[in-house]
Amino acid sequence: MKETLLNLDFTHWQAILLSGLPAFLNLFIFIYVRIKFPDDKISNIFSFYLVALIAFQANDTVTRMSASYETALLWNCILIGGTILMVPLGLHFTLLFTGRKKFLNSLAGQSFLYLPIPVFLIYMLLNKEEMSFIYSPFWGWVSNGGGSEFRLYIAYWLGMQGTLTLFFLLLYAWQAPPKSTEKKQSFIIGLGYVIPTIYAVVVQVIFSGSETNLGVPLTSTFMTSFSLGILIALKKYDLFSIADSLKTQTILEAMTDILIVLSPDKKIQFINKEGESALGVNNADKDSLNMEGIFSGGREESEMFMEKLFRPALEGKKTLNYSSEFISRSGVKIPVLISATPFRISITQVQVLLLVHDMSELHQTNKQLALREEQLKEKTEELNSFFYRTTHDLKGPIASIIGLTRLAKKDNTLPMATMCIDKIDQSASRLDKILLDFIKVMQIKEKVREVQLINFYTLTDDIIQSIKYSTGPDIVDFKVWIEPRIVFHGDEKLIDSILYNLIANAVNYRKLYAEEDPFVYVQIRKFGNGIMMKVMDNGIGMKQEIQGKIFSLFFRGNEDSKGTGLGLYILKNALDKLNGRVMLESEVNKGSTFTVYLPDLNPAMPVSDLNLVYSSAS
């Protein structure tokens, strides 16, 4: 067989060059396309077509070089695949170029293009003796297209596909707008396909059954006009322009915005990597996706999108910066700005390209700005209230002291002097209390947190003894329960301020006349990674409508209150410093319960001195 394959001569060198030179030219085009143009579907199919065309032209070349019928037959068996594959690949390229992807992606389209090929190849290889060659003094050994009826069917099938290729190219050129790039591209490519198609149909279909037919065997040579036409479109009219390279996976994956492509029937055709990540889907899921499921507003929002963006885009209009909200499969809501633009995939087919910008970070920034603005507003209101109430609250005791002093001067009898001194002492004490609370507020706002292990037994006992000293030892029944050997790290001064104001508030708002004795119950225990402090009382309680205001600056629960209105404001500032929170339950005439949660500021701090800290409580 080796001797048969190499049984060649170059007697017919002119005929050999007519098919050999085009083969080398197409090899150059193949290398050029693979190096210069993007690795996408249309360039890949064109490359496959070039390989098949080179094999077809090489088949013509080596059969003309063959010195015997047997050599020509063997070379034809080896290279016949290129001859059969070239025409379907040319049609495949044309369908891609003209935008008929729906047919290509269907089972019917793939079957029409490629299903008969394995059958044809197997038949021709098993029945190679049916192949018919004629010897010509100029051309050498050349296939005359004769043979069995089945080979005639193959010729008809190839001729039909070649005719369809030409038809779609000319139809595309006819439908393209005048002077458009598409018209120029399709006209050049179509012109390159006209000559070999007409020649192949006439020679290999109409006269394929003739045993003596030879004609002028230049089908493979003329096919180069098709590849040259595509090459001209490549270079002169940018068939693979940057618009095509944008379809490549590399650039799509580099996009920081979500990209979605919708078909006219509203089906999702494509989602880029950013969209997959944000929505928790992938392109494999796109058949089960719909826009209604992507919008957080469901059907109503989806219909609004169709009206405002989708339908105008199908009509050729562009819509920018439509505000909406997506929802991912994990339930996360994503504020977005959507721009819709028509995306033409062919002369007759338009899809909708959605460019979606995730506004989450901007919304978060706006929320933070709004929060800071609200905090600034609150601080400004507090400052205004502070100055107003300071002048008001300080003016009262000072005016009282001045008035009492003048009264004592006018009436210097002993009973009047004693009464005035008592009143002056009360006013001075109130003034001192106001000033001390002001100082506490400023100290807490400016304080740097200090972390130490807290002894709640000692802390609570000191607070209760201080309150008993100022109000009387038996005015309230105090009950305390602290979880044994509780370990907690925090700022002792801030925690002291919180507990003091809670307990003092419970004492100040006790019921003065009641069947049951007033009590204050303090409970401290571990809670998660911190502690829970609960202070309960059976005092006068408070109405629901004022419970949200009690932590405000200078707020007093009722008109009879003699406090400064700063106690719970001090407590709230201390809580903010410790990242704590407070809950209130209260009912009029039944009492109140304040529950404070504080995180441990340093749970990793050593507790080797725990026995020393709690030795006084054992």
Side-chain angles (χ1 to χ4, degrees):
M1 179 176 176
K2 181 178 180 182
E3 293 178 356
T4 305
L5 282 173
L6 298 179
N7 187 15
L8 306 170
D9 70 58
F10 296 89
T11 305
H12 313 283
W13 63 270
Q14 300 96 331
I16 293 169
L17 289 177
L18 285 173
S19 56
L21 288 178
F24 279 107
L25 178 60
N26 284 306
L27 179 61
F28 166 76
I29 295 173
F30 171 80
I31 295 171
Y32 184 82
V33 168
R34 298 316 301 169
I35 293 174
K36 291 292 185 180
F37 296 100
D39 184 22
D40 61 6
K41 190 174 291 186
I42 194 169
S43 64
N44 288 336
I45 292 299
F46 181 50
S47 298
F48 286 133
Y49 167 79
L50 286 171
V51 171
L53 177 56
I54 292 167
F56 176 42
Q57 292 172 333
N59 191 0
D60 255 11
T61 303
V62 292
T63 53
R64 293 173 188 183
M65 293 169 59
S66 299
S68 66
Y69 181 88
E70 290 75 15
T71 301
L73 186 63
L74 283 173
W75 278 113
N76 190 68
C77 288
I78 293 171
L79 298 171
I80 191 66
T83 307
I84 295 179
L85 273 169
M86 178 190 64
V87 178
L89 285 168
L91 179 56
H92 193 154
F93 171 83
T94 300
L95 292 172
L96 276 175
F97 171 66
T98 57
R100 290 172 170 82
K101 295 179 182 178
K102 189 173 183 180
F103 174 73
L104 271 177
N105 294 330
S106 67
L107 180 61
Q110 294 294 322
S111 300
F112 174 74
L113 285 172
Y114 298 113
L115 187 61
I117 291 176
V119 179
F120 293 164
L121 287 173
I122 293 171
Y123 175 84
M124 295 182 76
L125 291 175
L126 292 177
N127 300 276
K128 59 179 180 293
E129 67 277 356
E130 293 183 2
M131 299 179 187
S132 178
F133 289 91
I134 296 176
Y135 184 79
S136 165
F138 179 82
W139 298 107
W141 291 101
V142 181
S143 173
N144 74 334
S148 67
E149 187 176 343
F150 190 81
R151 282 176 58 83
L152 184 61
Y153 290 148
I154 296 174
Y156 280 135
W157 180 74
L158 293 175
M160 178 181 62
Q161 289 207 344
T163 304
L164 285 174
T165 301
L166 181 60
F167 169 76
F168 286 127
L169 284 170
L170 296 178
L171 178 64
Y172 190 74
W174 180 72
Q175 290 179 332
K179 298 182 180 180
S180 65
T181 300
E182 290 89 349
K183 183 177 281 293
K184 295 172 184 176
Q185 289 173 345
S186 54
F187 178 77
I188 292 173
I189 297 172
L191 186 63
Y193 203 77
V194 166
I195 297 173
T197 301
I198 293 176
Y199 177 84
V201 169
V202 171
V203 174
Q204 298 187 25
V205 177
I206 297 177
F207 299 110
S208 62
S210 171
E211 295 292 336
T212 60
N213 172 57
L214 178 60
V216 181
L218 292 175
T219 302
S220 67
T221 303
F222 290 155
M223 286 306 302
T224 303
S225 65
F226 182 49
S227 54
L228 282 173
I230 296 176
L231 182 62
I232 294 170
L234 288 173
K235 290 298 295 177
K236 186 172 178 60
Y237 296 110
D238 294 329
L239 177 59
F240 300 106
S241 64
I242 188 65
D244 295 287
S245 65
L246 283 174
K247 300 172 191 172
T248 63
Q249 198 67 19
T250 302
I251 294 180
L252 288 176
E253 288 179 4
M255 293 185 66
T256 57
D257 285 335
I258 300 170
L259 184 71
I260 300 175
V261 179
L262 298 177
S263 64
D265 57 357
K266 306 175 187 177
K267 291 183 179 178
I268 295 175
Q269 301 297 305
F270 176 81
I271 301 178
N272 68 340
K273 289 290 185 184
E274 189 70 21
E276 291 180 359
S277 175
L279 298 174
V281 300
N282 57 57
N283 268 290
D285 302 326
K286 65 178 183 292
D287 293 336
S288 62
L289 292 175
N290 57 69
M291 292 306 293
E292 183 177 328
I294 288 178
F295 286 105
S296 65
R299 180 184 294 275
E300 184 177 342
E301 181 63 21
S302 176
E303 289 176 353
M304 183 69 71
F305 159 77
M306 294 297 171
E307 182 67 30
K308 299 289 187 181
L309 276 81
F310 183 76
R311 294 189 185 96
L314 287 180
E315 295 169 1
K317 300 174 184 176
K318 189 182 294 186
T319 305
L320 302 176
N321 298 333
Y322 175 81
S323 180
S324 187
E325 189 175 67
F326 283 176
I327 186 166
S328 70
R329 286 200 165 178
S330 60
V332 177
K333 293 183 178 180
I334 308 168
V336 293
L337 278 181
I338 309 173
S339 296
T341 187
F343 176 57
R344 188 172 295 277
I345 60 173
S346 71
I347 298 299
T348 56
Q349 288 184 301
V350 177
Q351 295 186 343
V352 177
L353 182 69
L354 302 181
L355 191 62
V356 184
H357 184 64
D358 188 342
M359 300 293 289
S360 300
E361 290 186 7
L362 182 59
H363 274 230
Q364 187 64 30
T365 301
N366 289 339
K367 284 182 180 179
Q368 291 174 350
L369 288 174
L371 178 61
R372 290 179 181 178
E373 185 178 349
E374 185 65 26
Q375 290 173 342
L376 182 60
K377 184 179 178 181
E378 289 177 4
K379 296 300 180 185
T380 303
E381 290 176 354
E382 285 183 0
L383 188 60
N384 292 335
S385 177
F386 177 80
F387 284 122
Y388 172 77
R389 293 301 299 269
T390 299
T391 55
H392 181 272
D393 286 5
L394 292 179
K395 185 178 179 181
I398 292 172
S400 178
I401 291 172
I402 293 172
L404 290 167
T405 304
R406 289 175 179 173
L407 180 62
K409 288 180 178 179
K410 288 182 179 180
D411 188 346
N412 54 7
T413 60
L414 184 60
M416 178 59 70
T418 302
M419 185 271 295
C420 287
I421 291 171
D422 289 340
K423 294 291 184 181
I424 289 171
D425 181 62
Q426 292 176 11
S427 296
S429 297
R430 176 169 172 76
L431 182 61
D432 182 59
K433 181 69 171 71
I434 292 172
L435 291 173
L436 285 175
D437 283 348
F438 284 158
I439 292 170
K440 285 181 182 178
V441 171
M442 301 309 298
Q443 286 176 337
I444 289 174
K445 287 184 178 295
E446 296 175 3
K447 182 173 175 34
V448 177
R449 290 189 318 195
E450 300 174 8
V451 182
Q452 63 258 70
L453 190 63
I454 306 298
N455 184 334
F456 286 103
Y457 295 102
T458 303
L459 183 68
T460 307
D461 186 63
D462 288 346
I463 291 171
I464 291 174
Q465 293 305 320
S466 172
I467 292 174
K468 282 183 177 181
Y469 177 78
S470 59
T471 60
D474 302 320
I475 197 169
V476 169
D477 181 19
F478 289 100
K479 301 176 182 178
V480 178
W481 181 86
I482 300 172
E483 183 176 325
R485 300 178 69 81
I486 187 170
V487 178
F488 180 79
H489 305 88
D491 188 304
E492 185 171 352
K493 290 183 179 179
L494 292 176
I495 295 173
D496 178 272
S497 181
I498 293 168
L499 263 179
Y500 178 85
N501 281 289
L502 285 176
I503 296 171
N505 191 72
V507 172
N508 291 336
Y509 291 97
R510 66 190 182 278
K511 284 187 282 193
L512 298 178
Y513 308 102
E515 295 179 359
E516 59 178 340
D517 294 332
F519 70 82
V520 175
Y521 176 40
V522 180
Q523 181 190 97
I524 302 174
R525 63 183 178 86
K526 285 290 289 181
F527 185 84
N529 65 339
I531 58 160
M532 180 181 75
M533 301 190 300
K534 188 174 287 190
V535 177
M536 296 172 280
D537 66 65
N538 61 344
I540 62 174
M542 62 187 79
K543 298 177 182 178
Q544 183 70 33
E545 56 266 25
I546 70 167
Q547 291 181 19
K549 306 175 184 178
I550 61 172
F551 299 104
S552 301
L553 186 65
F554 293 117
F555 183 81
R556 294 188 178 95
N558 58 60
E559 296 178 358
D560 298 329
S561 174
K562 296 182 180 179
T564 62
L566 291 170
L568 293 181
Y569 178 75
I570 292 171
L571 178 145
K572 185 66 169 61
N573 277 268
L575 278 176
D576 291 341
K577 279 282 183 180
L578 296 172
N579 299 323
R581 54 195 176 94
V582 61
M583 293 177 60
L584 168 65
E585 299 175 43
S586 184
E587 191 173 345
V588 175
N589 291 325
K590 290 190 177 181
S592 302
T593 300
F594 286 87
T595 305
V596 171
Y597 301 94
L598 293 176
D600 196 315
L601 296 184
N602 192 357
M605 179 180 285
V607 292
S608 56
D609 57 344
L610 186 62
N611 290 327
L612 178 64
V613 170
Y614 286 135
S615 59
S616 61
S618 58

